[in-house]
Structures are given as structure tokens and as C-alpha cells.
Amino acid sequence: MKKKFLYVTLFSFSSLSFFGCSDDEYTDPTPTNRAVYEEGEELLAGRLTINSQTSNAFGRAIPGLSDEEQIAFGIGNSLFNQAWVSSPASTTARDGLGPTFNSRACTSCHSKDGRGLPITDNFLGSNGFLMRISMPGTDENGGPNPVTNYGTQIQDKANSGILHEAKIRATYEIIEGSYPDGETYTLQKPIYEIYDEQFGSLQGVLTSPRVGTQTIGMGLIDALSETSILAHADENDANNDGISGKPNYVWDVKENQLRLGKYGWKANQPSLEQQVFSAFHGDMGLTTSFLPENNCPTPQVDCVDAANGGEPEVTDLQLERVLFYQRTLGVPIRRNFEDENVLKGKVLFNDLQCISCHQTKYTAGNSPSTPLIEGVVFNPYSDFLLHDMGEALADNRSDFKANGREWRTQPLWGIGLIETINNHTFFLHDGRARNIEEAILWHGGEAENSLNEFKKLPKSQRQELIAFINSL
């Protein structure tokens, strides 16, 4: 493939206020950077990248699966997409939903293996939204402290004859702002209300809203060694670049010990397996051999006494099929990767230090599901570590080692296809950002300097940076 060399006049970091210099010290920019197409950079998952940009691009299997593996992938896909029903039911392989739950199917939160929707203004309910809750302090394993009568997640739906736990609605405060060049923008800040509580007041409890995100590339992340992730950790900012990177250590149900967290908005799950069986349990009320008890706090008598769909309701084989499906979902190829504006935006992405958290060039280790994954070099644009994102994004709820201002860096791969696949562009942990630009503008904390430098860019360069992110 022919390489393109595009010389771009950008800022020399020696002259930027990024490192604490005042505007008075700003000097003329020096053309020290250039935007270059790097051979193969469009292949975010290396040799396992999927050549698809359609509305089904997130649902494709990695290349190279055997006929038997493709059958297992198809069964997992069916289990991921089909709705579960309450017990007793004639459909014994899919019964056991609830008694209380948030969703009837995995795909309800991850439509077409993509992102869910936030609660929109004055709209009750959502496909893909849930509210975590807790009390101050920790449980016996160092995790969130459950709320009496409720646990750590509000189930806003229930089977017939069973009480839901509570309902959630949102209104939005509009925040107006402007760039130094005079262009204005607005952000929408969600204000959540918990109401219709059935088992005691939830007013004043710690809350953390979440929206389901795309599930592509999960098998590559699952195959990452702890060493690969910890290589980017700098909890005490020893290199003085303003970026810390803190690992979360969370309770592994299967191993009965603390392990490095990889998944979830707070890196609060140690493995893809636990991410999946915890979602079955917390989101759909389905038991597994790892979490065999119904998700029913003691005073919820009707929930406790409700019929089950088997012991467990999700069999080990069904769980393994869903895991295989998730581990072998491919990552789509980038778009417009040789476009001049995209290449210029890539330089800005690096020079504004976005790359410090949204890291690339990992090598996958062994996968429990397929040897195809081992040794693949991939670019998720995440370090899978916790970062202080500032007060504006704080949920003020701790989750193991993650404090109320810290979030795991979200992988950016596939972000530009969300609109094609899910017909929306809501981003961040609760979907408050209505597009990529707003997501950038919400950044604070460790990203405050990067945000300020983004704001100082002329509009054309802001658009170039967004074009690059949209190409991922």
C-alpha cells in the first residue's frame, strides 16, 4: 500500500502551556510533527480484524474459526440475542428470568453487540441503562457496601406478581460554554431521581449510572497478561507527566481472591467469564454455578419464593457458549485511515497526550477459547487502568480500589461505527455526551491539560482530532 506523508504544522510541546506555562510564554509553533500513514494501522485487531463497516460489523466472528467453532459461535450468538422468560415455562432452556431484572436479553443492553441508550429527558426506562448503588464503606471483600434490602444494583423490572425494586428517571441541566475562538457549545448534565422504592428509601445512597458498551475485542482483552496492563501503571506519577494510571484489584468469585480488574467502567471485573456471569445474575436475575442464589435480598419475600428455571438457570455449557461468542467477536477495520484530516488528527491525538491513556500495541497471550488469539498485536486505545477524570464526571461512589472520581479508560475501537450500528452517538459511562466532541469536553482531572489544549486549537484542528477518533 502506498504511504502518504503529510507535513502538518503543529505545536512544539516546548512552547505549550500544557506543562504549566502561561499564555504569555507562548511562542510561534514549530513544524516538528508530521502525519504519516503507518502500514497496517487500520487493522485494530491485527490479523483478526474484520473487514466490515456495515450495521452488523460488531457481530462478526474473527477469521479462521473451524466449522465446529463457527457452530459454537452461532449458538453463543443465539443465547446472547434471544430473550429469557420467567419460570415455569415450556421453553425450559430459556426460562428463569428474574424474579427482578433490568433486561430480558444480553442484546437489550448491547444492541447488535454495540452501545445501549441512556435515559433521555423525562423518559422512563432505557435499553442499556442501569444504576449501581451502595452505602459508604466496603463489603467483606473490599467491594461496594450493599444497600440493605436492595444490594448493589437497582432492578427496575420484575416478573408478574413480583415487586420491582425501584424506578429511575433523568432530567438534564444544560451547561453552556465556548472555545477561545468564540464558538459556543452546550453540554447536558444528567440529574437522576430514584423513586417508587418498594423496600425502603433509597434517598441519599451512593449511586453510579451505567450504560452498556460495545463488546467487540473482548477475547483479546481477556488474553492480556497482568504484566501488559501494569506496564502502563504509574499510580504516583513518577514521570511527572500528570497521568497516573492506577490498577484496580477486585474480587474474583471463581478464584476466591483479589485479582487485577480488566472489565467494566471501574475495572471492577477480573475476567470476561466473571463479567458475563455477573451480568446474567445482576442484569437478568439468572443463576449460574458461580452465582447460584437468586438475586433477592432477604426482605423481598416474593422474589425469594419465586420459581426458578433450574439449578443453575444458565447451564455451564450455555455459559461457555456465550463466553466463546464474546471471546471470538471481531473488531472492524478502521475507516478513512488515509484521509488527510484523519492523519492530521492522529498527530494531535498523540501530541495532546490522549495516547497516554488510550494506549495501543498490546500482544495477546493464551486464550481459553481458541489459539487463534495468541500472539495477536492489537490496538484497543485503552490502558485498562483507572484515571481521575475530574469532578464533573465523578459519581462519588467507590468500587474496590476505584474512588468516586476514577474510571477505567474506555477502549475506543469501533467508536466511529456506533452511529451506523446503534443509530445514536451517546458516549461516556452514562451516555451524557451526545457526540465525540462532547465526550472530550467532559474530560477533566488527569485529562484537564489535554482538554485545555484541545479547546485552544482552531476549529479546523478540533475537527481533525474528532475525525481521527471517528475513524477508529
Side-chain angles (χ1 to χ4, degrees):
M1 188 175 288
K2 185 177 179 181
K3 295 187 177 182
K4 294 185 178 182
F5 294 84
L6 300 170
Y7 290 86
V8 186
T9 300
L10 292 170
F11 304 131
S12 168
F13 264 158
S14 62
S15 64
L16 277 181
S17 61
F18 191 93
F19 291 108
C21 303
S22 69
D23 291 341
D24 294 334
E25 295 172 303
Y26 180 79
T27 59
D28 291 334
T30 305
T32 58
N33 299 294
R34 62 184 182 179
V36 184
Y37 166 75
E38 299 171 76
E39 194 73 35
E41 69 174 277
E42 69 275 19
L43 306 177
L44 294 173
R47 64 176 181 264
L48 298 184
T49 303
I50 301 300
N51 188 16
S52 176
Q53 300 175 7
T54 71
S55 61
N56 294 313
F58 286 173
R60 301 274 300 278
I62 60 174
L65 294 182
S66 66
D67 290 346
E68 183 179 353
E69 288 172 328
Q70 288 177 14
I71 292 172
F73 179 89
I75 295 172
N77 178 39
S78 175
L79 286 165
F80 191 88
N81 285 291
Q82 292 192 32
W84 290 74
V85 298
S86 60
S87 300
S90 58
T91 310
T92 56
R94 300 290 174 87
D95 69 339
L97 175 71
T100 59
F101 57 94
N102 297 115
S103 303
R104 296 179 179 274
C106 304
T107 194
S108 297
C109 294
H110 308 279
S111 177
K112 301 176 78 172
D113 305 289
R115 278 188 64 91
L117 286 164
I119 297 180
T120 54
D121 200 7
N122 289 316
F123 177 76
L124 308 182
S126 162
N127 290 322
F129 178 92
L130 61 84
M131 182 70 77
R132 300 224 187 275
I133 55 174
S134 58
M135 299 298 293
T138 62
D139 69 4
E140 65 273 15
N141 298 318
N145 190 20
V147 177
T148 302
N149 300 348
Y150 289 95
T152 58
Q153 180 173 322
I154 295 175
Q155 276 76 40
D156 60 348
K157 299 179 179 68
N159 293 333
S160 178
I162 308 294
L163 291 174
H164 63 270
E165 293 186 332
K167 298 290 185 180
I168 305 136
R169 58 186 162 217
T171 55
Y172 288 86
E173 173 189 347
I174 300 302
I175 300 172
E176 297 181 347
S178 62
Y179 293 100
D181 64 10
E183 183 180 7
T184 61
Y185 60 82
T186 61
L187 301 176
Q188 56 172 21
K189 176 184 177 181
I191 301 169
Y192 297 103
E193 179 189 0
I194 299 172
Y195 69 102
D196 198 21
E197 304 104 310
Q198 298 297 314
F199 303 98
S201 174
L202 287 170
Q203 305 310 304
V205 303
L206 303 177
T207 61
S208 186
R210 311 284 173 86
V211 168
T213 188
Q214 63 266 37
T215 63
I216 57 175
M218 291 291 203
L220 291 165
I221 300 170
D222 202 41
L224 266 185
S225 68
E226 290 194 6
T227 302
S228 298
I229 295 175
L230 294 177
H232 297 295
D234 185 17
E235 187 170 349
N236 299 312
D237 192 19
N239 62 2
N240 295 313
D241 67 350
I243 307 297
S244 296
K246 170 183 166 182
N248 199 1
Y249 287 92
V250 303
W251 190 250
D252 187 308
V253 173
K254 186 176 180 180
E255 302 295 333
N256 201 34
Q257 64 179 356
L258 291 171
R259 286 183 53 205
L260 179 70
K262 287 184 179 181
Y263 294 95
W265 286 102
K266 294 271 188 178
N268 64 338
Q269 296 291 2
S271 66
L272 183 58
E273 183 176 45
Q274 185 160 316
Q275 173 73 23
V276 171
F277 69 65
S278 295
F280 271 129
H281 193 253
D283 301 348
M284 291 182 281
L286 294 164
T287 60
T288 62
S289 58
F290 299 106
L291 295 174
E293 301 295 328
N294 267 341
N295 187 16
C296 300
T298 303
Q300 299 184 26
V301 177
D302 290 337
C303 181
V304 172
D305 293 340
N308 66 48
E311 296 180 354
E313 291 160 333
V314 180
T315 67
D316 288 348
L317 180 58
Q318 288 174 320
L319 178 61
E320 181 55 40
R321 288 292 185 256
V322 174
L323 270 171
F324 185 85
Y325 172 69
Q326 287 288 281
R327 286 185 179 130
T328 53
L329 274 178
V331 177
I333 193 170
R334 285 181 56 198
R335 298 147 309 286
N336 307 317
F337 49 88
E338 289 188 292
D339 182 84
E340 292 187 14
N341 288 332
V342 169
L343 291 172
K344 291 176 183 179
K346 179 177 69 171
V347 176
L348 290 163
F349 188 87
N350 293 336
D351 283 356
L352 268 62
Q353 285 197 320
C354 307
I355 196 69
S356 296
C357 299
H358 294 281
Q359 293 274 356
T360 59
K361 295 181 173 60
Y362 292 89
T363 302
N366 293 324
S367 168
S369 290
T370 173
L372 293 171
I373 287 175
E374 184 177 0
V376 170
V377 177
F378 62 100
N379 300 312
Y381 285 87
S382 172
D383 60 7
F384 307 103
L385 296 167
L386 300 170
H387 294 274
D388 183 337
M389 295 301 294
E391 190 59 36
L393 286 179
D395 65 356
N396 299 311
R397 177 184 182 269
S398 62
D399 202 332
F400 291 95
K401 300 292 185 182
N403 67 37
R405 291 167 56 105
E406 292 174 327
W407 300 93
R408 184 198 72 155
T409 306
Q410 173 67 15
L412 296 181
W413 52 11
I415 190 170
L417 277 172
I418 296 295
E419 185 171 14
T420 298
I421 291 168
N422 297 127
N423 299 311
H424 72 80
T425 56
F426 291 108
F427 299 116
L428 297 180
H429 65 280
D430 59 358
R432 68 178 62 193
R434 293 166 290 189
N435 50 53
I436 291 171
E437 180 182 13
E438 287 188 18
I440 295 172
L441 291 168
W442 274 109
H443 280 54
E446 294 175 40
E448 188 75 30
N449 287 333
S450 297
L451 171 63
N452 291 337
E453 295 309 324
F454 170 75
K455 287 181 175 179
K456 291 178 184 177
L457 295 174
K459 182 175 182 178
S460 60
Q461 290 189 319
R462 297 198 300 268
Q463 291 175 332
E464 288 164 1
L465 178 61
I466 293 168
F468 169 71
I469 296 172
N470 205 45
S471 78
L472 298 178

